[in-house]
Amino acid sequence: MKIFETAARRSLVVLAAFILAIACSVTASAQNLPPTWVFARSYNGWNILGQQANTYTFNSGTCNYTPSTNGNVSSFFVFSGFQTNISTTVPVYFPVAIVDANSTYSEVVTPTATYNSGTCGFAGSPEYTHTSFNLISGTAGLQEAIVSQQQSSPVFDVILDKYWYQAVAALPTYPTTTNAQTIIASVQGNANVGIVDTTTMPWTYYSWNGTKYVADPSSGSLSFTSVTVVAAPTALSTSATVNGIVTTSATGGLIAASAGTFRLGATYVTALGGETTISTDSASTATIAIGSSTSTNSITVTSPAAATGAVGWRVYMTAASGIAGSEILYVSSCATPATGQIVLNGVCAIGSNATITAVVTGTAKVPTVNSAFIPTSGTTSPLQSVMTSYPPFTNTGAVSTGTPANLGVINLPAGYLNVLGRTIRLCGAGYSTTTTTGTLTLATLLASIPGVTSITPFTALSGGITSGDTVNFNFCETWTTTATGAQGTVEAHGWVNYTLAATAVSSPTQDNIIVASSTVDLTKQDQIEFTLTGVTSEAIASGGAQLRLLTVEVLQ
């Protein structure tokens, strides 16, 4: 019996050893695989204790660190690395946080040179004297992670999570304010590596635009809450002395001799892709005539003055002898394009002139409502929040029966809706003064060429208005992209509550649409416009109509 038990035990031991060997081989094999996730915080674990005052040289090997990840990752040199830009390999110096024993003197320094042979370390220009200190990553591991992943194929994304944000919050704030957005905007990268912020809902994806990382319009975020409207620029003038000067030249263009008299105006553009109404264009000084001497004329407009919240400006010009308000956008006239927004085209940098070399025809008319709002957050990125709130838009004034009154517009980055299943919710409130009996129609338009090519995914007709009273309305719409591309469609459904007969009792109505919208080019920079139309003898009275509140929420 004992012999049988002993044999059985030996068999169990052999079996257990076999299973353990298999498990070990699987684990070892898995360890040799590349990581499935690359967290920036994993590259933030290095910490070097200073040995001598103001000395950033250490024994060889001290400056190498191996991240802790769920896959096989090589160690890296903590002060610099190399990346390939097109066909050139260039060094990238990693910002270093010098954490002083006296936190008042802690600072972030970017090395000007590094070395890692025999001894290792970096040279730089710290502002303060450091006697007792330690060194950590100045980007909470983000720059190190990006450069370490750049040679990988396929593309790897570097992940930001709440622990990375906590590490950023602990970094020194000298010499500049250090926060997540300033770090993301300042790190060096290339198209091989993206950044994914998993702390937002939905996640925000950043891609390299050739200069810096910017949030991908298709990642789900919209513009940030804003409350202050930017005023239109001062009128352009041939007699201006500083800004907004309109002049002609007998060279540099293809405008024919004696081509006529042209009227010009300008708008400001914000980081959110908002645009002001046009500058006053009715004065005689806002027009300029082309002389009769040559056929190589051009027209130059100097930049409007800098304005709080404006990152660029656009120039508009009429046809010969055009009337005020008939200007069209001239999109290719900027000496220096604006870089502060990624929504609108034809935006010149503040301080940069615009030169019109030929008279063209076009469909981009002047804005009919001011959508330029200054963000109240510390970020000026147009892609940092899943909820956007807008303050009251401009009152429309009186509008005749059957003519749509433009209550407000918002601009979306190119391709923003070009994601199958992208879902947004539009909710708002407003009012309209009315004239007689009739009805009102609230509609929401989507345009790929604003003012020319648009569809109407949502419309809702009010009940009968029995007198010329003020009608309040509240609405909520949900939009989902049902087809993408140049022939894209959206499906929109929702409701509107109209108050009738000057009481607080509302008359609810739903849209009567059961199919997806007509097609529209969703690859373009699209614009959403809200209109209110008086029908059946109803008009908007002198008290006008106004969109008092608008929120845009990303659901998917």
Side-chain angles (χ1 to χ4, degrees):
M1 187 70 177
K2 288 183 178 179
I3 296 174
F4 176 78
E5 289 178 353
T6 302
R9 288 174 182 172
R10 288 175 179 172
S11 298
L12 288 174
V13 170
V14 172
L15 178 61
F18 178 71
I19 293 173
L20 180 61
I22 293 175
C24 290
S25 67
V26 171
T27 302
S29 175
Q31 288 295 326
N32 291 326
L33 293 174
T36 54
W37 294 81
V38 177
F39 286 88
R41 60 179 165 86
S42 297
Y43 290 74
N44 184 53
W46 65 272
N47 191 321
I48 300 176
L49 181 66
Q51 303 298 310
Q52 300 179 40
N54 303 312
T55 300
Y56 310 106
T57 301
F58 308 94
N59 293 329
S60 179
T62 304
C63 308
N64 291 323
Y65 177 75
T66 302
S68 175
T69 67
N70 63 334
N72 184 45
V73 176
S74 301
S75 63
F76 66 92
F77 180 50
V78 299
F79 296 131
S80 67
F82 293 89
Q83 71 175 23
T84 301
N85 293 337
I86 307 177
S87 59
T88 304
T89 299
V90 296
V92 178
Y93 296 116
F94 304 155
V96 178
I98 305 176
V99 182
D100 199 282
N102 183 343
S103 60
T104 303
Y105 300 114
S106 294
E107 59 182 312
V108 176
V109 175
T110 300
T112 55
T114 61
Y115 38 90
N116 191 25
S117 177
T119 59
C120 64
F122 72 92
S125 300
E127 179 69 20
Y128 300 116
T129 295
H130 299 286
T131 302
S132 178
F133 64 91
N134 63 296
L135 307 177
I136 62 174
S137 170
T139 63
L142 179 57
Q143 183 66 87
E144 294 92 325
I146 290 172
V147 171
S148 295
Q149 297 304 315
Q150 281 181 351
Q151 308 308 319
S152 301
S153 181
V155 172
F156 275 86
D157 286 328
V158 175
I159 309 300
L160 309 182
D161 59 6
K162 67 177 182 179
Y163 301 106
W164 181 78
Y165 274 87
Q166 290 172 356
V168 169
L171 289 173
T173 57
Y174 184 84
T176 59
T177 300
T178 303
N179 57 45
Q181 291 306 313
T182 59
I183 290 176
I184 293 172
S186 64
V187 292
Q188 296 298 304
N190 63 24
N192 285 344
V193 180
I195 300 174
V196 181
D197 189 342
T198 62
T199 66
T200 64
M201 185 58 67
W203 294 354
T204 300
Y205 294 81
Y206 294 85
S207 57
W208 184 252
N209 72 352
T211 303
K212 62 181 180 179
Y213 281 98
V214 295
D216 187 341
S218 65
S219 66
S221 299
L222 273 178
S223 50
F224 202 86
T225 302
S226 53
V227 295
T228 305
V229 67
V230 181
T234 302
L236 302 180
S237 174
T238 54
S239 59
T241 57
V242 181
N243 298 104
I245 308 170
V246 183
T247 58
T248 62
S249 172
T251 61
L254 300 173
I255 304 177
S258 302
T261 299
F262 301 89
R263 186 179 303 272
L264 295 99
T267 62
Y268 283 128
V269 172
T270 69
L272 304 179
E275 185 175 14
T276 68
T277 49
I278 196 172
S279 58
T280 301
D281 59 351
S282 55
S284 60
T285 51
T287 63
I288 196 164
I290 297 298
S292 59
S293 57
T294 72
S295 293
T296 56
N297 298 285
S298 61
I299 298 173
T300 297
V301 183
T302 64
S303 169
T308 301
V311 299
W313 67 287
R314 283 171 140 184
V315 63
Y316 292 79
M317 189 174 80
T318 67
S321 303
I323 63 173
S326 67
E327 295 89 349
I328 63 170
L329 174 67
Y330 275 70
V331 298
S332 59
S333 54
C334 303
T336 303
T339 58
Q341 62 85 45
I342 59 171
V343 180
L344 305 176
N345 61 358
V347 181
C348 302
I350 298 293
S352 172
N353 296 345
T355 300
I356 298 172
T357 57
V359 178
V360 299
T361 58
T363 55
K365 303 294 186 182
V366 296
T368 57
V369 65
N370 192 339
S371 62
F373 301 108
I374 303 173
T376 58
S377 164
T379 176
T380 57
S381 170
L383 303 167
Q384 296 307 317
S385 175
V386 297
M387 171 72 82
T388 302
S389 297
Y390 292 89
F393 287 81
T394 307
N395 189 295
T396 65
V399 181
S400 59
T401 302
T403 300
N406 189 329
L407 298 177
V409 298
I410 57 174
N411 291 299
L412 303 179
Y416 185 83
L417 291 175
N418 195 38
V419 179
L420 191 63
R422 167 56 46 80
T423 303
I424 61 175
R425 182 158 54 204
L426 312 168
C427 297
Y431 73 89
S432 176
T433 58
T434 58
T435 53
T436 57
T437 60
T439 57
L440 293 169
T441 297
L442 179 70
T444 310
L445 286 65
L446 179 63
S448 58
I449 304 178
V452 178
T453 303
S454 65
I455 60 174
T456 308
F458 179 88
T459 181
L461 179 68
S462 75
I465 299 169
T466 57
S467 64
D469 293 317
T470 297
V471 175
N472 293 317
F473 58 86
N474 293 272
F475 65 92
C476 220
E477 313 166 23
T478 301
W479 290 28
T480 297
T481 300
T482 48
T484 58
Q487 300 295 313
T489 59
V490 297
E491 185 148 341
H493 299 290
W495 50 264
V496 182
N497 277 337
Y498 297 93
T499 61
L500 305 178
T503 71
V505 178
S506 66
S507 173
T509 181
Q510 284 189 282
D511 67 286
N512 194 31
I513 301 170
I514 58 174
V515 296
S517 68
S518 302
T519 61
V520 66
D521 192 345
L522 296 181
T523 67
K524 296 289 197 304
Q525 174 258 309
D526 292 311
Q527 183 181 87
I528 296 176
E529 175 184 1
F530 301 88
T531 66
L532 191 68
T533 305
V535 292
T536 321
S537 300
E538 186 60 81
I540 296 176
S542 58
Q546 189 175 28
L547 184 58
R548 298 287 306 171
L549 171 68
L550 175 64
T551 61
V552 183
E553 182 181 7
V554 180
L555 302 181
Q556 178 63 42

